[in-house]
Every structure is written in structure tokens, then in C-alpha cells.
């Protein structure tokens, strides 16, 4: 059996990050449910984990899955035939000065980015994750992760419309 | 503003916005709700709590079988560092699903309070003996049978554990007692005089014996 630290340690060290990631992904209200789902799922699987390397990444991977589930459920409810890409294409009518936009405005724009861009932007800016790790988490190369963040920022500025 | 400055400004704005979004959420409240849910779902294999005592903050841990560990404050340095190794041991022996869940330990906390105030003589919480083994385990079980207010010598304890010559080993066993003062290793004294050593320090041992009215006259 692997040597794993007490679960409380994970909670103490990473719950703020996980919450930050979820808030940035699904919004402050829904984040609370996703937060509990994330840690309950983690707790369930924890004793079966093969090693204790990069537990923060492991938690954020679970949180990312919960956020995706949440987005899917939300889309089914709100946009029966739509996709995030179509919604994402509608933002940023003209060149935007992001540094003059309000926090909530930016968050709303991020929330409707295409999924890969949204996840990459959130991981990069809400949890300061390195591109290599973002790639590992989203199952793409470091370069693709960097590109997703870049494209995400371009979309936010309205350069892709 | 140059283009690269503008880009840096955008990045900073996104970072600020995303990090600010959760600012109003009370993480403590979320963690408490999580603990309650984990408990309901049977996902806490070891629950622990910090307990105030007249001797400083103690740690108490329990499993579904009973109380598995009580630990005194570290005599040197800050207490929290000392608990890490202890919780790590529980993770290895029992399960890494360890959470701070004070409400799971209400009963033992109540009994410890009452004991320290002299209102309780015998603990009645179930115990989980998984941290004891071999000859030490035998010795620790014998210690558990020493009544309130009585003392025995290390030599006597060695005899009761089945090996009269092993008084050095019973000394080690006392030091390794995972359940003080519920398993009362403070009631074991050296026959050479003095109170001998104790996990919580000799002063605490003396104080517990005094509380029980069991401090030998020559040690007063």
C-alpha cells in the first residue's frame, strides 16, 4: 500500500485552491456544491490511490471533472441544442480592454469560453498552474495548453469574433 | 500603451477577476459541511480532535472500533508539528482517510474533562488496540487493569505481562502507550524512587498521581 498523508492535510493545503478553481469555473454559487462533490469523490478514491505524488493536481483533476459535469448539466437545462462554442462565439463584440472591465464581467466572459479555453484559462490564472501540468490535466501537450490560454485571452479581447 | 503592456494588463485583469470570484465564500463553513457529509457517508476512517486539558492541547483520535490514540502536547516546540508524525502513523496503520471531526469524539472528550477535574475514575469508551503489538501490547493491556488511585512498579508490571526480567521492555511499553491517560501508564513507577519518565513530562505524571490521591508520600 502506498504511503499517503492524512486526508486532512490535503484539505488544509489545497482546499482554497480547489475552491478558487471551481469558483472561477462554475461561479461562486455552484462552486459550493462542486466543492463538496469533489472532496467526497476524492475521499472515496483516496485509499486506492497508487502514490502520493502531486495530490494537488489529482484534486484539481477531480474538480475539473465535476466542473465539466456541472457545465454539461447547465447546458442541457439552458440550451438544449446549443454548445459552449456557439455561446463563446457571441462574446467580445469588439476589441475589449480587459484591464478596464469589472471582475464580474470578466468572469462571465470566461464562463462562456469554449471548454478547453475556459479550463486552461481558469487553471492558469485561478490556480497559477504551469502549462506542463495544465497539459497533463487536460490531456494535451504543454504547447497546446499554452495555445489554449492564448486563444482564450484573444477570445476575451474580442479578437476572434 | 504598447501591445505587450496591454497583454500583460489583460492577463493581470483576468487573474485578478478569477481569484476575486470566491473571495466571499467562507471556506471554514464549507469544510465543516464536508466533514459532516463525509461522516454520514461513512468516509472517515479515523476522526481526530484537539482537546483542551489542564496540561495543554491534546490530540484524540478514534476509529469505528473505538479510541485509538490520545497524545499529550509536545514538551518542546509547537504542538502542531508534533501531531504530523502521529497522524502519519495512523494513516499507515489504519487508513489515510483521516479527518478532523471533533463531534465524533464528544464522548471521550467529555470523559477526559471529567477525569482531569477529578469527577471520573474509570473511562468507559471502547478502545481500538491496533497501535499496540507483541510484548509491549501485553504490557499495555496489563497497565489498563491498574485501578484508579493505585500504583505498581515496572518490575511488577513485567511480571504481570509474563516476563519478570523484562522491566526494561515494559519501560519502553509505557513510553509507547498510545492511549494515555485512559490506559494509565502514569500508575507505573520505578522501584528505585522518583516518578520516572512520562510522555507528557514528569510534572504531569506527578499531577495525575496527585489528582488520584496516589502520589507516594516520599514523592510529595
Amino acid at each position: 500500500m502506498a504511503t499517503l498523508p492524512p486526508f486532512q492535510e490535503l484539505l488544509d493545503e489545497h482546499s482554497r485552491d480547489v475552491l478558487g478553481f471551481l469558483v472561477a469555473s462554475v461561479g461562486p454559487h455552484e462552486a459550493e456544491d462542486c466543492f463538496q462533490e469533489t472532496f467526497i469523490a476524492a475521499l472515496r478514491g483516496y485509499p486506492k490511490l497508487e502514490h502520493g505524488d502531486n495530490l494537488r493536481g489529482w484534486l484539481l483533476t477531480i474538480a475539473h471533472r465535476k466542473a465539466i459535469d456541472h457545465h454539461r448539466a447547465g447546458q442541457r437545462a439552458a440550451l438544449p441544442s446549443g454548445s459552449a462554442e456557439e455561446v463563446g462565439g457571441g462574446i467580445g463584440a469588439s476589441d475589449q480592454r480587459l484591464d478596464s472591465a469589472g471582475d464580474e464581467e470578466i468572469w462571465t466572459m470566461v464562463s462562456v469560453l469554449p471548454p478547453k479555453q475556459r479550463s486552461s484559462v481558469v487553471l492558469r490564472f485561478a490556480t497559477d498552474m504551469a502549462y506542463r501540468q495544465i497539459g497533463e490535466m487536460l490531456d494535451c501537450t504543454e504547447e497546446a495548453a499554452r495555445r489554449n490560454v492564448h486563444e482564450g485571452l484573444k477570445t476575451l479581447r474580442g479578437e476572434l469574433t | 500603451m504598447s501591445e505587450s503592456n496591454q497583454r500583460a494588463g489583460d492577463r493581470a485583469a483576468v487573474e485578478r477577476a478569477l481569484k476575486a470570484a470566491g473571495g466571499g465564500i467562507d471556506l471554514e463553513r464549507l469544510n465543516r459541511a464536508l466533514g459532516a457529509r463525509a461522516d454520514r457517508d461513512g468516509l472517515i476512517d479515523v476522526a481526530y480532535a484537539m482537546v483542551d486539558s489542564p496540561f495543554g492541547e491534546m490530540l484524540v483520535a478514534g476509529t469505528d472500533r473505538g479510541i485509538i490514540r490520545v497524545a499529550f502536547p509536545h514538551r518542546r516546540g509547537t504542538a502542531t508539528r508534533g501531531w504530523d508524525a502521529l497522524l502519519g502513523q495512523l494513516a499507515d496503520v489504519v487508513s489515510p482517510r483521516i479527518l478532523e471531526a471533533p463531534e465524533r469524539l464528544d464522548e471521550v472528550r467529555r470523559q477526559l474533562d471529567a477525569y482531569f477535574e477529578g469527577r471520573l475514575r474509570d473511562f468507559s469508551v471502547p478502545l481500538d488496540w491496533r497501535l499496540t503489538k507483541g510484548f509491549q501490547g501485553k504490557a499495555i493491556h496489563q497497565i489498563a487493569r491498574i485501578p484508579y488511585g493505585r500504583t505498581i512498579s515496572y518490575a511488577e508490571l513485567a511480571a504481570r505481562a509474563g516476563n519478570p526480567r523484562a522491566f526494561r521492555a515494559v519501560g519502553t511499553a509505557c513510553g509507547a502507550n498510545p492511549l494515555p491517560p485512559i490506559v494509565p501508564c502514569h500508575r507505573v513507577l520505578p522501584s528505585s524512587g522518583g516518578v520516572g519518565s512520562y510522555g507528557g513530562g514528569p510534572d504531569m505524571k506527578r499531577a495525575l498521581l496527585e489528582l488520584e490521591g496516589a502520589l507516594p508520600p516520599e514523592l510529595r
Side-chain angles (χ1 to χ4, degrees), chain A residues 1 3-9 11 15-16 19-20 23-24 28 31-32 35-37 39-40 43-44 46-47 96-99 101 103 106-107 110 121-122 124-126 128 131 149-150 153 156-157 159, chain B residues 1 3 5-7 9-23 25-27 29-31 33-34 37-38 40-41 43-45 48 84 87-88 91-92 94-101:
Chain A
M1 203 181 74
T3 300
L4 297 166
F7 196 83
Q8 184 68 43
E9 224 172 89
L11 205 56
S15 61
R16 189 159 290 286
L19 181 63
V23 166
E32 298 199 5
F35 177 86
Q36 190 170 98
E37 292 306 322
F39 276 101
I40 289 293
L43 207 42
R44 261 182 224 291
Y46 192 50
Q96 303 224 17
R97 290 284 304 277
L98 289 175
D99 51 0
D103 289 350
I106 292 181
W107 181 78
V110 170
V121 165
V122 167
R124 181 66 191 153
F125 295 112
D128 302 312
Y131 288 113
V149 170
H150 186 70
L153 287 171
L156 292 175
R157 282 192 214 101
E159 289 176 15
Chain B
M1 192 189 282
E3 199 187 343
N5 273 347
Q6 168 77 56
R7 294 260 152 102
D10 288 348
R11 285 175 170 261
V14 172
E15 180 170 350
R16 190 196 60 227
L18 292 183
K19 285 185 172 156
I25 297 182
D26 178 1
L27 191 57
R29 176 175 57 80
L30 290 193
N31 284 341
L34 171 67
R37 162 88 186 275
R40 276 201 308 282
D41 290 4
L43 293 173
I44 305 180
D45 297 333
Y48 74 92
D84 285 352
L87 293 172
D92 289 341
V94 183
S95 159
R97 276 204 295 230
I98 300 178
L99 281 181
E100 190 168 358

Side-chain angles (χ1 to χ4, degrees), chain A residues 77-146:
Chain A
L79 306 160
S81 62
S83 74
E85 276 80 1
E86 282 160 5
V87 177
I91 60 166
S94 60
D95 272 10
Q96 303 224 17
R97 290 284 304 277
L98 289 175
D99 51 0
S100 58
D103 289 350
E104 267 185 51
E105 205 181 328
I106 292 181
W107 181 78
T108 308
M109 293 194 291
V110 170
S111 71
V112 290
L113 284 174
K116 281 252 167 182
Q117 290 181 17
R118 182 185 61 226
S119 299
S120 308
V121 165
V122 167
L123 287 170
R124 181 66 191 153
F125 295 112
T127 73
D128 302 312
M129 194 178 271
Y131 288 113
R132 184 180 53 76
Q133 269 190 295
I134 297 176
E136 279 168 19
M137 230 168 103
L138 302 181
D139 217 11
C140 64
T141 61
E142 181 175 348
E143 228 0 86
R146 197 184 293 275

Side-chain angles (χ1 to χ4, degrees), chain A residues 25-37:
Chain A
S25 301
V26 302
H29 183 66
E30 306 297 333
E32 298 199 5
D33 278 351
C34 287
F35 177 86
Q36 190 170 98
E37 292 306 322

Side-chain angles (χ1 to χ4, degrees), chain B residues 51 60-70 102-115 120-129 141 144 178-184:
Chain B
V51 180
V60 182
T63 70
D64 57 348
R65 300 186 197 179
I67 301 307
I68 191 164
R69 189 73 167 98
V70 179
E103 60 287 350
R104 275 260 301 256
L105 297 152
D106 280 348
E107 180 56 25
V108 67
R109 288 159 74 197
R110 226 172 34 78
Q111 293 192 18
L112 282 166
D113 278 351
Y115 170 76
L120 181 89
R121 294 166 65 94
D122 300 305
F123 289 92
S124 59
V125 286
L127 300 177
D128 181 338
W129 297 97
H141 274 86
L179 292 160
I182 302 175
V183 172

